[in-house]
Amino acid sequence: MNLKTSVTKAPRANGASTAMSASGAAVIVKPVSNAIRILRHLTQTGAPERAADVARHLSINPSTCFNILRTLVAEEVVDFNALSKTYSAGLGLTRLVEHLVTQGQRLQLATPLMHELAARFGVTVTLWRRIGIDRMVLVSSESSPTDLHIGMPAGQRLPILMGASGRLFAGSLGLSDEQLRDEFDQLRWARPLSFETYMREVTRAKRRGWASDDGYFATGVLAIAAPVRDPSTGISFTVSTVMIRGDRDEAAVETLGNAVRDLAQHLETVIFRRVQALPHIPPAR
């Protein structure tokens, strides 16, 4: 079932190390090298460590290692836990590299999360992106590993008010009821749906954080969708699940709706890298 990289030489300050020797060979600046080794070690181990342990593992003078760690904490790329006196890779390190990651790559990170939900509930999970003011496009789809599932190929486009996702967009476009009605009247539904019923479902979706379409978009298909908001709080994507209509009772639908809403909130972090700042903890003295 188918629903489509001149190198420039800068002036050198007195006492600064040069990066090239007279012969042109690279010169290793030891403190910089050690700082990078420390960062690499902390990210690879994934567990907080004391300064003495880091120094021992990397064969760095303990005093030198401690001073480098203090500097990295001050630069917010390493976190320090004052209670356990341990260091770990900080969220500031993520901020240094996050601009290197394209949104397309971030979308790939969403795939395993979508697959997990699809497998857990036996549904097809889709990710829709808003394009322009009146359309959305399917950018990703994960089906459940079952014999019976609904296949939805990426690339298909729909009017922005259509389906469960449409009910989410309808409540965020800032259109008047009259404008929404004009757009609604141009839609073709699989079974009769009044504008009044549609708007009640829009209001309900705002209240509970997810929307549903019970066979109006596609015959025999129940869809549940939740908004994936960008940093400006606008809806840039929606994550939706589709399944055979009538397969679940009201309580099961409610459970799935809440799970889709939770997934959407997780995808906001994955797609838009919403890194939350941690309270600043001064280095140990």
Side-chain angles (χ1 to χ4, degrees), residues 9-22 29:
K9 184 181 290 187
R12 184 159 51 97
N14 291 338
S17 299
T18 181
M20 287 286 181
S21 67
V29 181

Side-chain angles (χ1 to χ4, degrees), residues 21-278:
S21 67
S23 65
V27 174
I28 300 299
V29 181
K30 194 71 171 182
V32 175
S33 175
N34 282 337
I36 293 174
R37 292 174 62 213
I38 289 170
L39 288 172
R40 183 180 295 118
H41 174 75
L42 291 176
T43 56
Q44 289 178 345
T45 59
E49 289 195 7
R50 291 175 173 266
D53 294 328
V54 176
R56 185 179 67 258
H57 287 142
L58 300 179
S59 299
I60 300 175
N61 177 277
S63 178
T64 299
C65 185
F66 176 70
N67 287 332
I68 292 175
L69 282 166
R70 291 186 63 182
T71 301
L72 294 174
V73 169
E75 294 297 333
E76 301 181 342
V77 293
V78 164
D79 291 335
F80 174 69
N81 187 311
L83 295 178
S84 62
K85 300 296 190 293
T86 57
Y87 298 84
S88 58
L91 291 176
L93 190 59
T94 299
R95 297 188 185 100
L96 287 176
V97 300
E98 65 176 334
H99 68 283
L100 299 176
V101 183
T102 67
Q103 191 172 89
Q105 291 170 313
R106 291 175 183 171
L107 288 176
Q108 292 179 11
L109 298 177
T111 298
L113 300 175
M114 295 169 58
H115 181 78
E116 189 276 334
L117 187 73
R120 179 153 56 103
F121 287 95
V123 296
T124 295
V125 181
T126 59
L127 187 65
W128 297 82
R129 186 206 296 265
R130 177 181 174 179
I131 51 174
I133 61 174
D134 62 349
R135 287 288 186 274
M136 55 181 159
V137 61
L138 179 59
V139 295
S140 182
S141 177
E142 288 293 316
S143 299
S144 63
T146 60
D147 292 335
L148 179 63
H149 62 266
I150 299 174
M152 298 184 67
Q156 63 176 292
R157 302 187 180 197
L158 292 175
I160 201 164
L161 297 185
M162 182 65 78
S165 293
R167 289 163 173 80
L168 300 171
F169 286 118
S172 68
L173 295 175
L175 300 179
S176 66
D177 285 354
E178 183 179 354
Q179 290 171 316
L180 283 171
R181 183 183 287 273
D182 288 342
E183 294 297 324
F184 178 87
D185 289 342
Q186 299 178 45
L187 302 176
R188 289 177 173 268
W189 299 94
R191 65 191 184 101
L193 175 65
S194 70
F195 179 70
E196 290 72 22
T197 299
Y198 179 86
M199 290 305 298
R200 283 196 297 269
E201 294 179 355
V202 169
T203 300
R204 187 182 182 196
K206 285 183 179 182
R207 183 175 67 251
R208 63 186 180 181
W210 54 273
S212 63
D213 180 288
D214 191 12
Y216 295 103
F217 167 57
T219 302
V221 174
L222 170 65
I224 294 175
V228 181
R229 301 181 185 277
D230 60 39
S232 68
T233 72
I235 301 177
S236 291
F237 297 85
T238 65
V239 60
S240 173
T241 59
V242 293
M243 67 218 79
I244 303 301
R245 184 171 177 237
D247 267 2
R248 299 154 204 268
D249 60 23
E250 187 174 341
V253 170
E254 186 80 16
T255 298
L256 178 55
N258 292 333
V260 176
R261 181 191 60 206
D262 293 344
L263 173 60
Q265 293 172 352
H266 196 169
L267 292 181
E268 290 175 3
T269 301
V270 171
I271 297 174
F272 298 110
R273 290 298 188 193
R274 291 183 170 176
V275 180
Q276 300 297 317
L278 295 177

